[in-house]
Structure formats: structure tokens, C-alpha cells
Amino acid sequence: MAVQLFKKTAFSSVYQKYMIPVSNEIMNLVLSYVKDKTNGQPLEMAVDVGCGAGRYTLPLAPHFKKVLGIDLSESQINLAKQNTLANNVSYMVAPAEKLPLEDASVDLVTAAVAAHWFTVDKFAHEAVRVLKSKGCFAAHAFYPATELEYKDLSHDLNVVMSEVWDTFFQYDVNRKILGHPFCQYKTIYEAIPLQDKEWITDIPIKYEMSIPEIIGFIQSMVMFQIFLEKDMKGAEQFLIQIDRRFREILGEEADSARLTAHFKHYCVLACKH
Ligand SMILES: C[S@@+](CC[C@H](N)C(=O)[O-])C[C@H]1O[C@@H](n2cnc3c(N)ncnc32)[C@H](O)[C@@H]1O
């Protein structure tokens, strides 16, 4: 199963190093939603499910008395513990489908770029079980087809980027991995058994990235790791080719260019009354 990849230390490190940075826009969207729904009451407890190395867990620390990061992967939890700088944050190995928490004990259940790995119905019910009254749910991720922009070379750069996705899709013909991200979490929105819910799609977020950062980002995608497992030489060659083609397009500017990478994020928000 692809999710086993997150248990590998090497992949955990690549993911931590190269995955696109935490989106402050999405963090602000989630925090404003919680503050709005709880009328600015003090917030006791947040749980970040599928927390990985804690990238989206730590920014919650200033806003809650306690924050708990949960992940199925021990190697991710170990990385998260090494990264922790806040003493109100703790981590635990546990599944999203059986949260180690009391009923009605949590103000926010969140999942960042993770809910598509879970058994969605079970996770949705667990999330609602552990939420207090007025507690909030927030699951967000980004749409995988990134667009690149750089001077008048955007078209050529995007031809290469489309080939990256076409290659990745060959390893996910039934959309078992990319199904939820492609429908922007519609399935997760529908699975949440709460009346008060919102589904926000196509949130534009851009990052400035160098060619090595884009190549690193491609490596940090699970689809690339599956490619590596099935055909290590082919995957390595593929990456070298992609890097070469980007460099041919950019010519002398290849080392200095900061490309604008456009991502579409999406978010499911809900509140228990
Ligand atoms: C793409 S990573 C995202 C990590 C982190 N939230 C971030 O944004 O950097 C997805 C994470 O979900 C975890 N995961 C997958 N299935 C899980 C499950 N059923 N229960 C808990 N964690 C799970 C994986 O181990 C992995 O760390």
C-alpha cells in the first residue's frame, strides 16, 4: 500500500525537505473559522491527524492550550518529535480511524494533506465523536497539477510539468491515490456527518521555487516514490531528464531563476453544534 511509504525514514526525510511549505493562507483560514465558530472562547485542544513531521501541527501551538499530532507512521512521529519547539505539543502513533481521545474532548480536528490516505467514513465519524459542541473540523490539501510561470517560458515549462503528471498517472490508473485530491475532497465533504459544513475549492496559492526545489517537490510526491519502487533506474533517469529539460528551456537563467508555481488548495470545514 502506498501509505506504507510514509513509514520509511528515507521518504519521510525527502518529504520533509522538499514538500511545498506550509500555507499561511490555509492556516489563517482554519484558525479564523475556529475562532469565529467558538466566539473567541479560549481553545483547549487541537488534534492534527496524519501530522507527519508536524509541519502543520506546530503553527497550532500558540492558539490552543494543548496540541496533539497523530500519525500511523513511527518514522514520521520521530521526525515530528525532533522538530518540536513548543512544550504544549505532543505526538503519538495512532490511526485516524480510531482516535485515542475521549468523546467530546477536542476543539479542532484537522488533517493537512493527509485525509485522502484515511478510510474516510471511519475518520469522519471519529472526528465528530471527539469534537466538543462548537468544535471544528478542517481537512485541506492541494490539487496536484501545478502550473509554472516564468517570463515568456511558461508554456514550455508547463509542457514538461504535464509530462510529469502523465507519467505519475500511469502508476495510479484507478485514481486510488489521486482520486480524493482530484475531486478536491468532495468525498470528504460528503462524508462529514454534520449539518454546518463548507467546502472551499480552488484557493489559489503561489510559491516562488528554483529548479532544484521543483525537482525536489517532484521527488517528494508519493507517485514518484512508487515509480522508484517499481523501476528505480527508470525513475532516476526520468528525474534527470526532467531537470535537463527545465534547464534547456531556461538556458543561462536555470540556476538563478525563481519560477512561480501556482497551486490550488481546497479545504473542508465543519462545526459540530
Ligand atoms: C502526505 S503526509 C502529510 C503530513 C503532514 N500533515 C504535512 O502536511 O506535512 C500524510 C500523512 O498521513 C499519514 N497517514 C496515512 N494514513 C494514516 C492513517 N490511517 N492514520 C493516521 N495517519 C495516516 C502518513 O503516515 C503521512 O505522515
Side-chain angles (χ1 to χ4, degrees):
M1 239 172 104
V3 75
Q4 296 299 326
L5 282 167
F6 291 104
K7 298 192 174 171
K8 296 190 173 171
T9 307
F11 179 55
S12 295
S13 308
V14 168
Y15 186 91
Q16 192 188 11
K17 189 164 172 198
Y18 292 119
M19 181 41 64
I20 52 168
V22 166
S23 159
N24 292 330
E25 291 93 330
I26 297 291
M27 275 317 296
N28 291 339
L29 176 74
V30 171
L31 289 166
S32 315
Y33 181 80
V34 178
K35 285 179 182 162
D36 182 40
K37 292 289 176 184
T38 52
N39 300 321
Q41 296 281 316
L43 298 166
E44 295 280 325
M45 178 77 181
V47 183
D48 182 21
V49 187
C51 64
R55 298 180 331 132
Y56 276 92
T57 322
L58 269 185
L60 296 169
H63 307 277
F64 294 83
K65 202 166 164 196
K66 278 190 190 165
V67 179
L68 175 65
I70 285 176
D71 201 288
L72 207 53
S73 154
E74 201 168 345
S75 65
Q76 294 273 7
I77 289 293
N78 287 339
L79 277 175
K81 285 181 178 167
Q82 285 163 27
N83 293 340
T84 293
L85 300 168
N87 53 17
N88 62 337
V89 178
S90 57
Y91 294 97
M92 195 187 274
V93 176
E97 298 79 5
K98 201 167 188 301
L99 298 174
L101 293 154
E102 303 277 313
D103 294 359
S105 59
V106 173
D107 297 288
L108 170 67
V109 174
T110 183
V113 202
H116 46 286
W117 295 106
F118 309 160
T119 304
V120 170
D121 285 347
K122 284 191 179 161
F123 168 59
H125 281 91
E126 273 297 88
V128 172
R129 176 184 70 76
V130 302
L131 283 177
K132 295 177 184 170
S133 166
K134 293 194 182 164
C136 298
F137 172 90
H140 57 89
F142 63 86
Y143 191 77
T146 315
E147 256 191 57
L148 299 175
E149 186 188 333
Y150 187 73
K151 297 186 177 171
D152 58 351
L153 301 172
S154 307
H155 174 266
D156 292 354
L157 292 164
N158 283 319
V159 168
V160 181
M161 207 60 207
S162 316
E163 284 176 28
V164 171
W165 292 114
D166 288 347
T167 304
F168 283 2
F169 293 154
Q170 288 169 26
Y171 292 90
D172 186 28
V173 268
N174 298 322
R175 295 282 186 275
K176 280 203 170 133
I177 296 171
L178 293 170
H180 293 301
F182 260 98
C183 74
Q184 300 204 44
Y185 277 6
K186 183 169 190 280
T187 37
I188 291 168
Y189 172 74
E190 286 168 355
I192 289 294
L194 294 173
Q195 295 278 315
D196 183 1
K197 55 182 175 179
E198 290 175 36
W199 177 36
I200 308 169
T201 58
D202 297 313
I203 307 166
I205 292 180
K206 52 189 182 180
Y207 301 97
E208 300 298 307
M209 295 172 89
S210 64
I211 291 297
E213 283 167 341
I214 292 168
I215 295 294
F217 166 68
I218 292 169
Q219 273 177 277
S220 74
M221 300 295 292
V222 166
M223 303 309 303
F224 180 72
Q225 299 299 319
I226 295 172
F227 188 2
L228 260 184
E229 287 205 337
K230 294 206 166 149
D231 173 10
M232 187 186 271
K233 272 205 172 138
E236 285 169 357
Q237 277 306 316
F238 169 77
L239 209 58
I240 290 168
Q241 281 292 334
I242 295 296
D243 183 67
R244 188 174 297 148
R245 290 182 56 205
F246 279 146
R247 287 177 182 279
E248 278 167 10
I249 295 167
L250 292 164
E252 286 178 353
E253 295 179 47
D255 284 326
S256 58
R258 303 287 297 166
L259 286 64
T260 306
H262 294 268
F263 288 79
K264 276 184 197 165
H265 286 244
Y266 42 85
C267 189
V268 174
L269 296 166
C271 179
K272 179 173 170 181
H273 288 282

